[in-house]
């Protein structure tokens, strides 16, 4: 993910309008050549010869590839963004896995020390007020336009994703989900959030007569919710846990719920809310970075706060009475950078001087929070039990290791005249090679917000140059000198940088290949052999799923692996350290977050030592990193 800068202006009463170009369709021959280059060193020689013949046939003059390419170019002419719908369905809406861990990233806020429950509610009230102010900035188009930094700095970026932050809802479907965005109408005079407390849900008006509630008023309403949630006689089943289930299973359960008018009313309130605020019970776990990441990703399971969620909503803010706070993002409406910008605004808002609102309303005059009522039968009760069991299995399966690499940060990397992102990507390849003696298909998200409605494409980091470097670094009796190893490092970083530039300018291969495949299906052609070839299937099984998510305040992002035998690797480079979040699944014997984190720590040290040995003038950094630690299982 690219680093961003915001446009600074004295007068930002309206966004500067930049006319952005459409996402290009890369030349067919270029994509096919790049595809072959990306996979050649990752498959056996015999398999590559077979793949190359298939690709040549697909790209032959007058062949299927040219037919599909022509259709894609026609689609680009008539659409704002030719790949958006294809990508959204393939990446998210068609995925049948549960949203927690598998799809929804989280941002872990700074640990809070609350004196008592009311102190936590004050924090929550200020957070909600910050949400309302940020939402107002979005609606007034007063957010400063963002410009890219790093590679090709200065390019204006599409701001459309911000409009979906608080207006989106993902409806479960039996085969594919539906993402709906509600646009505010001028007649809207009130808005509400939904507060989750003890697995119960309460609709709370936060804008009345076009005026947002003050922090004092929001606090009073949250205190009401806390009292209402204690009423055991009115406690209803934990319906929210259904949203943590597989998408088809949740769609089936929802189809039963909507048969009742009471449930339809409750669902309508949930689907139209600004956001969900989850007031969590203390987890009983030590608030380490690893445990806080786990709790944010899945709530600790049905016995903790796992049912105190509604995963279909785009933004869920978590305020734990034990000080574990953050936000859970339903990923289909927007990318991580939008989550970061919003989260940083809110953390800075919370830490700022409390506002002094002149308008305060007696709690008696405020509309009381409304409990969302659910009608259910034995079938729904059975689905609740099954969903809880599946969530607990997911909780028990997630293996997470969050650690700070303290030996150096991005400042040292920049002194080597290297891109910090490319540097870390090469280190990730070295770490994986140390563990497995091979490289695998790797995904790094690359923003294409330089284009209209741009989302992301993929940077394929497991390059041939990276393989040459990691082999040189791991051979016990390598014939290469230190200078030659350094040359290979720079070649690997240059290859990574060049691919990054191709991706952010719309010239990567993944979106293009997806478009060609979807076009073939739409034309009802027989599926081209290139897309059923063993190499293609393996190249889209991303054992390493990575992303750079830098922040300017104390917080970090994390997510789960995207395949059962894979790793999630999110990193946050700071000036003097780099925070890594490594995830995998306990059930897979081929992966271990602690083992990979240890190898990553070693890889970062090895590359530093190489740089220092070739550039003695570079400042030596003390080797004081404690390294990663094995995460605790929740509840142990």
């Amino acid at each position: 993910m690219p680093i961003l800068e915001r446009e600074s202006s004295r007068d930002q009463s309206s966004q500067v309008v930049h006319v952005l170009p459409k996402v290009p369709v890369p030349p067919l021959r270029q994509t096919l050549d790049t595809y072959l280059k990306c996979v050649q060193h990752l498959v056996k020689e015999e398999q590559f010869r077979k793949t190359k013949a298939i690709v040549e046939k697909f790209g032959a003059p007058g062949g299927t590839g040219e037919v599909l390419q022509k259709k894609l170019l026609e689609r680009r002419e008539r659409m704002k963004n030719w790949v958006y719908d294809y990508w959204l369905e393939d990446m998210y809406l068609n995925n049948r896995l549960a949203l927690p861990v598998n799809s929804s990233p989280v941002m872990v806020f700074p640990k809070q020390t609350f004196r008592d429950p009311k102190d936590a509610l004050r924090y929550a009230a200020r957070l909600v007020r910050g949400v309302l102010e940020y939402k107002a900035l979005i609606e007034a188009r007063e957010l400063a336009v963002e410009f890219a930094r790093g590679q090709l700095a200065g390019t204006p970026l599409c701001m459309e994703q911000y409009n979906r932050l608080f207006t989106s809802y993902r409806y479960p479907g039996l085969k594919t989900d539906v993402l709906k965005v509600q646009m505010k109408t001028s007649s809207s005079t009130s808005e509400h959030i939904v507060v989750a407390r003890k697995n119960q849900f309460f609709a709370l008006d936060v804008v009345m007569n076009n005026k947002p509630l003050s922090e004092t008023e929001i606090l009073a309403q949250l205190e009401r919710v806390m009292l209402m949630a204690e009423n055991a006689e009115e406690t209803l089943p934990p319906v929210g846990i259904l949203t943590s289930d597989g998408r088809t299973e949740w769609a089936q359960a929802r189809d039963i719920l909507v048969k009742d008018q009471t449930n339809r009313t409750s669902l309508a309130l949930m689907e139209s809310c600004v956001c969900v605020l989850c007031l969590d019970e203390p987890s009983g776990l030590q608030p380490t970075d690893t445990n806080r990441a786990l709790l944010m990703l899945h709530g600790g399971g049905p016995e903790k706060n796992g049912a105190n969620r509604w995963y279909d909503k785009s933004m869920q803010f978590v305020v734990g009475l034990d000080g574990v706070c953050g936000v859970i993002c339903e990923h289909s409406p927007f990318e991580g950078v939008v989550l970061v910008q919003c989260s940083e605004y809110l953390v800075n808002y919370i830490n700022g001087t409390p506002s002094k609102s002149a308008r305060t309303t007696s709690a008696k005059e405020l509309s009381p929070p409304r409990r969302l009522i659910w009608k259910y039968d034995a079938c729904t009760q059975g689905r609740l039990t099954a969903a809880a069991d599946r969530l607990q299995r997911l909780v028990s399966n997630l293996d997470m290791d969050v650690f700070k690499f303290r030996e150096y940060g991005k400042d040292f990397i920049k002194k080597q005249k290297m891109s910090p992102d490319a540097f870390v990507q090469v280190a990730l390849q070295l770490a994986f090679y140390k563990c497995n003696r091979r490289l695998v298909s790797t995904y790094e998200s690359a923003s294409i917000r330089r284009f209209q409605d741009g989302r992301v494409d993929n940077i394929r980091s497991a390059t041939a140059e990276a393989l040459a470097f990691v082999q040189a670094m791991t051979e016990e009796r390598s014939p290469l000198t230190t200078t030659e190893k350094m040359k290979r490092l720079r070649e690997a970083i240059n290859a990574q940088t060049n691919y990054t530039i191709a991706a952010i300018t719309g010239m990567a291969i993944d979106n293009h290949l997806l478009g060609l495949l979807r076009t073939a299906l739409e034309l009802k052609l027989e599926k081209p052999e290139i897309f059923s070839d063993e190499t293609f299937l393996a190249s889209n099984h991303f054992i390493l799923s990575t992303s750079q998510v830098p922040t300017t305040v104390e917080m970090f992002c994390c997510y789960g692996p995207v395949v059962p035998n894979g790793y999630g690797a999110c990193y946050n480079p700071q000036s003097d350290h780099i925070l890594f979040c490594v995830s995998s699944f306990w059930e897979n014997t081929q992966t271990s977050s602690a083992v990979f984190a240890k190898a990553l720590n070693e890889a970062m040290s090895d590359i530093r030592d190489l740089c220092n040995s070739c550039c003695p003038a570079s400042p030596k950094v003390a080797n004081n990193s404690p390294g990663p630690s094995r995460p605790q299982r929740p509840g142990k």
Side-chain angles (χ1 to χ4, degrees), residues 353-390:
T353 305
S355 62
K356 296 178 180 179
S357 174
R359 182 180 69 91
T360 56
T361 305
S362 166
K364 293 180 181 178
E365 297 176 26
L366 296 172
S367 301
R370 291 99 71 198
R371 184 189 296 267
L372 271 57
I373 307 297
W374 307 104
K375 300 292 185 181
Y376 62 99
D377 54 18
C379 179
T380 300
Q381 186 61 54
R383 289 183 179 276
L384 287 168
T385 302
D389 290 344
R390 283 189 282 267

Short mmCIF file of all heavy atoms in Angstrom, two decimals, residues 353-390:
data_model
loop_
_atom_site.label_atom_id
_atom_site.label_comp_id
_atom_site.label_asym_id
_atom_site.label_seq_id
_atom_site.Cartn_x
_atom_site.Cartn_y
_atom_site.Cartn_z
N THR A 353 -8.12 18.37 22.61
CA THR A 353 -8.83 19.06 23.68
C THR A 353 -10.32 18.77 23.56
O THR A 353 -10.91 18.99 22.50
CB THR A 353 -8.60 20.58 23.59
OG1 THR A 353 -7.20 20.82 23.59
CG2 THR A 353 -9.26 21.30 24.75
N PRO A 354 -10.96 18.29 24.63
CA PRO A 354 -12.40 18.01 24.56
C PRO A 354 -13.18 19.25 24.15
O PRO A 354 -12.89 20.36 24.60
CB PRO A 354 -12.75 17.59 26.00
CG PRO A 354 -11.46 17.10 26.57
CD PRO A 354 -10.39 17.94 25.93
N SER A 355 -14.13 19.04 23.26
CA SER A 355 -14.91 20.18 22.78
C SER A 355 -15.88 20.65 23.85
O SER A 355 -16.34 19.86 24.69
CB SER A 355 -15.68 19.78 21.52
OG SER A 355 -16.59 18.73 21.82
N LYS A 356 -16.17 21.94 23.83
CA LYS A 356 -17.14 22.49 24.78
C LYS A 356 -18.39 22.84 24.00
O LYS A 356 -18.48 23.90 23.38
CB LYS A 356 -16.56 23.73 25.46
CG LYS A 356 -15.32 23.42 26.32
CD LYS A 356 -14.76 24.67 26.94
CE LYS A 356 -13.53 24.34 27.79
NZ LYS A 356 -12.94 25.56 28.39
N SER A 357 -19.33 21.94 24.03
CA SER A 357 -20.55 22.15 23.26
C SER A 357 -21.51 23.04 24.05
O SER A 357 -21.78 22.79 25.23
CB SER A 357 -21.23 20.81 22.95
OG SER A 357 -22.46 21.02 22.32
N ALA A 358 -22.00 24.08 23.41
CA ALA A 358 -22.94 24.97 24.09
C ALA A 358 -24.30 24.32 24.23
O ALA A 358 -25.06 24.63 25.15
CB ALA A 358 -23.05 26.28 23.30
N ARG A 359 -24.61 23.40 23.32
CA ARG A 359 -25.95 22.79 23.34
C ARG A 359 -25.92 21.49 24.11
O ARG A 359 -25.21 20.56 23.77
CB ARG A 359 -26.42 22.52 21.90
CG ARG A 359 -27.82 21.94 21.81
CD ARG A 359 -28.19 21.71 20.36
NE ARG A 359 -27.41 20.64 19.75
CZ ARG A 359 -27.78 19.36 19.74
NH1 ARG A 359 -28.91 18.99 20.30
NH2 ARG A 359 -27.02 18.45 19.16
N THR A 360 -26.66 21.43 25.18
CA THR A 360 -26.84 20.17 25.90
C THR A 360 -28.32 19.96 26.12
O THR A 360 -29.06 20.91 26.40
CB THR A 360 -26.13 20.18 27.26
OG1 THR A 360 -26.59 21.30 28.01
CG2 THR A 360 -24.62 20.27 27.09
N THR A 361 -28.75 18.75 25.97
CA THR A 361 -30.16 18.41 26.09
C THR A 361 -30.32 17.46 27.26
O THR A 361 -29.49 16.58 27.47
CB THR A 361 -30.66 17.74 24.81
OG1 THR A 361 -30.38 18.60 23.71
CG2 THR A 361 -32.15 17.46 24.86
N SER A 362 -31.35 17.64 28.00
CA SER A 362 -31.63 16.72 29.09
C SER A 362 -31.82 15.32 28.53
O SER A 362 -32.41 15.14 27.46
CB SER A 362 -32.90 17.16 29.84
OG SER A 362 -33.36 16.13 30.68
N ALA A 363 -31.30 14.34 29.26
CA ALA A 363 -31.45 12.95 28.81
C ALA A 363 -32.91 12.59 28.61
O ALA A 363 -33.24 11.75 27.77
CB ALA A 363 -30.78 12.02 29.81
N LYS A 364 -33.78 13.24 29.39
CA LYS A 364 -35.21 12.94 29.27
C LYS A 364 -35.75 13.38 27.90
O LYS A 364 -36.72 12.81 27.41
CB LYS A 364 -35.98 13.65 30.39
CG LYS A 364 -35.67 13.12 31.79
CD LYS A 364 -36.47 13.86 32.84
CE LYS A 364 -36.15 13.34 34.23
NZ LYS A 364 -36.90 14.09 35.29
N GLU A 365 -35.13 14.39 27.30
CA GLU A 365 -35.61 14.90 26.02
C GLU A 365 -35.07 14.10 24.83
O GLU A 365 -35.60 14.21 23.73
CB GLU A 365 -35.20 16.36 25.86
CG GLU A 365 -35.82 17.28 26.90
CD GLU A 365 -35.31 18.70 26.78
OE1 GLU A 365 -34.89 19.08 25.66
OE2 GLU A 365 -35.30 19.43 27.78
N LEU A 366 -34.02 13.33 25.05
CA LEU A 366 -33.44 12.54 23.97
C LEU A 366 -34.27 11.28 23.73
O LEU A 366 -34.77 10.66 24.68
CB LEU A 366 -32.00 12.13 24.32
CG LEU A 366 -30.99 13.28 24.45
CD1 LEU A 366 -29.67 12.74 24.99
CD2 LEU A 366 -30.77 13.98 23.12
N SER A 367 -34.41 10.91 22.47
CA SER A 367 -35.11 9.66 22.17
C SER A 367 -34.34 8.51 22.79
O SER A 367 -33.13 8.38 22.57
CB SER A 367 -35.20 9.45 20.65
OG SER A 367 -35.88 10.52 20.06
N PRO A 368 -34.99 7.66 23.56
CA PRO A 368 -34.26 6.57 24.22
C PRO A 368 -33.71 5.58 23.20
O PRO A 368 -34.30 5.40 22.12
CB PRO A 368 -35.33 5.92 25.11
CG PRO A 368 -36.62 6.28 24.47
CD PRO A 368 -36.42 7.63 23.86
N PRO A 369 -32.59 4.95 23.49
CA PRO A 369 -32.08 3.90 22.61
C PRO A 369 -33.13 2.81 22.43
O PRO A 369 -33.90 2.51 23.37
CB PRO A 369 -30.84 3.38 23.35
CG PRO A 369 -30.45 4.49 24.26
CD PRO A 369 -31.72 5.16 24.67
N ARG A 370 -33.18 2.22 21.23
CA ARG A 370 -34.17 1.16 20.97
C ARG A 370 -33.46 -0.18 20.86
O ARG A 370 -32.56 -0.33 20.04
CB ARG A 370 -34.93 1.42 19.66
CG ARG A 370 -35.86 2.60 19.71
CD ARG A 370 -35.25 3.84 19.10
NE ARG A 370 -35.14 3.78 17.64
CZ ARG A 370 -34.34 4.58 16.93
NH1 ARG A 370 -33.58 5.50 17.54
NH2 ARG A 370 -34.29 4.47 15.63
N ARG A 371 -33.89 -1.12 21.66
CA ARG A 371 -33.33 -2.48 21.58
C ARG A 371 -33.79 -3.12 20.28
O ARG A 371 -34.98 -3.07 19.94
CB ARG A 371 -33.78 -3.32 22.77
CG ARG A 371 -33.15 -4.72 22.80
CD ARG A 371 -33.81 -5.58 23.88
NE ARG A 371 -33.58 -5.05 25.21
CZ ARG A 371 -32.59 -5.42 26.01
NH1 ARG A 371 -31.73 -6.34 25.62
NH2 ARG A 371 -32.47 -4.89 27.22
N LEU A 372 -32.87 -3.73 19.55
CA LEU A 372 -33.25 -4.46 18.35
C LEU A 372 -33.81 -5.81 18.78
O LEU A 372 -33.14 -6.58 19.48
CB LEU A 372 -32.04 -4.66 17.42
CG LEU A 372 -31.79 -3.54 16.39
CD1 LEU A 372 -31.61 -2.19 17.07
CD2 LEU A 372 -30.59 -3.86 15.52
N ILE A 373 -35.04 -6.05 18.39
CA ILE A 373 -35.77 -7.26 18.81
C ILE A 373 -35.65 -8.32 17.72
O ILE A 373 -35.73 -8.03 16.53
CB ILE A 373 -37.26 -6.95 19.08
CG1 ILE A 373 -37.38 -5.78 20.07
CG2 ILE A 373 -37.98 -8.19 19.59
CD1 ILE A 373 -36.80 -6.07 21.44
N TRP A 374 -35.49 -9.57 18.16
CA TRP A 374 -35.37 -10.69 17.22
C TRP A 374 -36.39 -11.77 17.56
O TRP A 374 -36.54 -12.16 18.71
CB TRP A 374 -33.97 -11.30 17.27
CG TRP A 374 -32.88 -10.29 17.09
CD1 TRP A 374 -32.07 -9.78 18.06
CD2 TRP A 374 -32.48 -9.66 15.87
NE1 TRP A 374 -31.20 -8.87 17.53
CE2 TRP A 374 -31.41 -8.78 16.19
CE3 TRP A 374 -32.91 -9.76 14.55
CZ2 TRP A 374 -30.79 -7.99 15.23
CZ3 TRP A 374 -32.27 -8.98 13.60
CH2 TRP A 374 -31.23 -8.11 13.93
N LYS A 375 -37.11 -12.20 16.56
CA LYS A 375 -38.01 -13.36 16.70
C LYS A 375 -37.29 -14.56 16.10
O LYS A 375 -36.73 -14.47 15.01
CB LYS A 375 -39.33 -13.12 15.95
CG LYS A 375 -40.11 -11.90 16.44
CD LYS A 375 -40.66 -12.10 17.84
CE LYS A 375 -41.54 -10.91 18.24
NZ LYS A 375 -42.07 -11.05 19.60
N TYR A 376 -37.31 -15.66 16.81
CA TYR A 376 -36.54 -16.81 16.36
C TYR A 376 -37.27 -18.09 16.72
O TYR A 376 -38.14 -18.13 17.59
CB TYR A 376 -35.14 -16.79 16.99
CG TYR A 376 -35.16 -16.88 18.50
CD1 TYR A 376 -34.93 -18.09 19.14
CD2 TYR A 376 -35.42 -15.76 19.28
CE1 TYR A 376 -34.96 -18.18 20.53
CE2 TYR A 376 -35.45 -15.83 20.65
CZ TYR A 376 -35.22 -17.04 21.29
OH TYR A 376 -35.27 -17.12 22.64
N ASP A 377 -36.87 -19.16 16.02
CA ASP A 377 -37.46 -20.47 16.28
C ASP A 377 -36.34 -21.46 16.56
O ASP A 377 -35.16 -21.10 16.63
CB ASP A 377 -38.33 -20.93 15.10
CG ASP A 377 -37.58 -20.91 13.78
OD1 ASP A 377 -36.32 -20.88 13.82
OD2 ASP A 377 -38.21 -20.95 12.72
N ALA A 378 -36.70 -22.73 16.68
CA ALA A 378 -35.71 -23.76 17.00
C ALA A 378 -34.66 -23.87 15.90
O ALA A 378 -33.48 -24.13 16.18
CB ALA A 378 -36.41 -25.10 17.21
N CYS A 379 -35.08 -23.65 14.65
CA CYS A 379 -34.13 -23.73 13.53
C CYS A 379 -33.07 -22.65 13.65
O CYS A 379 -31.88 -22.92 13.49
CB CYS A 379 -34.89 -23.60 12.21
SG CYS A 379 -33.82 -23.65 10.75
N THR A 380 -33.49 -21.43 13.95
CA THR A 380 -32.54 -20.33 14.11
C THR A 380 -31.63 -20.57 15.31
O THR A 380 -30.42 -20.29 15.26
CB THR A 380 -33.28 -18.99 14.27
OG1 THR A 380 -34.07 -18.76 13.10
CG2 THR A 380 -32.29 -17.84 14.44
N GLN A 381 -32.20 -21.12 16.39
CA GLN A 381 -31.40 -21.42 17.56
C GLN A 381 -30.30 -22.43 17.22
O GLN A 381 -29.16 -22.31 17.67
CB GLN A 381 -32.28 -21.97 18.69
CG GLN A 381 -31.55 -22.17 20.01
CD GLN A 381 -30.99 -20.88 20.58
OE1 GLN A 381 -31.72 -19.91 20.74
NE2 GLN A 381 -29.69 -20.86 20.86
N GLY A 382 -30.64 -23.41 16.40
CA GLY A 382 -29.66 -24.39 15.96
C GLY A 382 -28.56 -23.75 15.13
O GLY A 382 -27.38 -24.11 15.25
N ARG A 383 -28.94 -22.78 14.29
CA ARG A 383 -27.95 -22.07 13.47
C ARG A 383 -27.04 -21.21 14.34
O ARG A 383 -25.84 -21.07 14.05
CB ARG A 383 -28.65 -21.22 12.41
CG ARG A 383 -29.31 -22.05 11.31
CD ARG A 383 -29.93 -21.18 10.24
NE ARG A 383 -30.52 -21.98 9.17
CZ ARG A 383 -29.85 -22.49 8.15
NH1 ARG A 383 -28.55 -22.26 8.04
NH2 ARG A 383 -30.46 -23.22 7.23
N LEU A 384 -27.58 -20.63 15.39
CA LEU A 384 -26.75 -19.85 16.32
C LEU A 384 -25.70 -20.74 16.97
O LEU A 384 -24.53 -20.35 17.08
CB LEU A 384 -27.63 -19.21 17.40
CG LEU A 384 -28.50 -18.02 16.98
CD1 LEU A 384 -29.52 -17.71 18.07
CD2 LEU A 384 -27.65 -16.81 16.70
N THR A 385 -26.11 -21.92 17.39
CA THR A 385 -25.17 -22.86 18.02
C THR A 385 -24.09 -23.28 17.04
O THR A 385 -22.89 -23.32 17.39
CB THR A 385 -25.93 -24.09 18.54
OG1 THR A 385 -26.93 -23.66 19.48
CG2 THR A 385 -24.98 -25.07 19.22
N ALA A 386 -24.50 -23.60 15.81
CA ALA A 386 -23.52 -24.03 14.79
C ALA A 386 -22.55 -22.90 14.45
O ALA A 386 -21.34 -23.12 14.29
CB ALA A 386 -24.26 -24.50 13.54
N ALA A 387 -23.08 -21.67 14.35
CA ALA A 387 -22.22 -20.53 14.04
C ALA A 387 -21.22 -20.29 15.16
O ALA A 387 -20.04 -19.98 14.91
CB ALA A 387 -23.07 -19.28 13.81
N ALA A 388 -21.66 -20.45 16.41
CA ALA A 388 -20.76 -20.27 17.55
C ALA A 388 -19.65 -21.32 17.53
O ALA A 388 -18.48 -21.01 17.82
CB ALA A 388 -21.55 -20.36 18.86
N ASP A 389 -20.00 -22.54 17.19
CA ASP A 389 -18.99 -23.60 17.11
C ASP A 389 -17.96 -23.30 16.04
O ASP A 389 -16.75 -23.51 16.24
CB ASP A 389 -19.67 -24.95 16.83
CG ASP A 389 -20.48 -25.46 18.00
OD1 ASP A 389 -20.28 -24.95 19.12
OD2 ASP A 389 -21.32 -26.36 17.80
N ARG A 390 -18.42 -22.83 14.88
CA ARG A 390 -17.48 -22.53 13.79
C ARG A 390 -16.60 -21.33 14.14
O ARG A 390 -15.42 -21.30 13.79
CB ARG A 390 -18.25 -22.30 12.49
CG ARG A 390 -18.74 -23.60 11.84
CD ARG A 390 -19.30 -23.37 10.46
NE ARG A 390 -20.64 -22.83 10.50
CZ ARG A 390 -21.77 -23.55 10.47
NH1 ARG A 390 -21.69 -24.88 10.44
NH2 ARG A 390 -22.95 -22.97 10.49
#
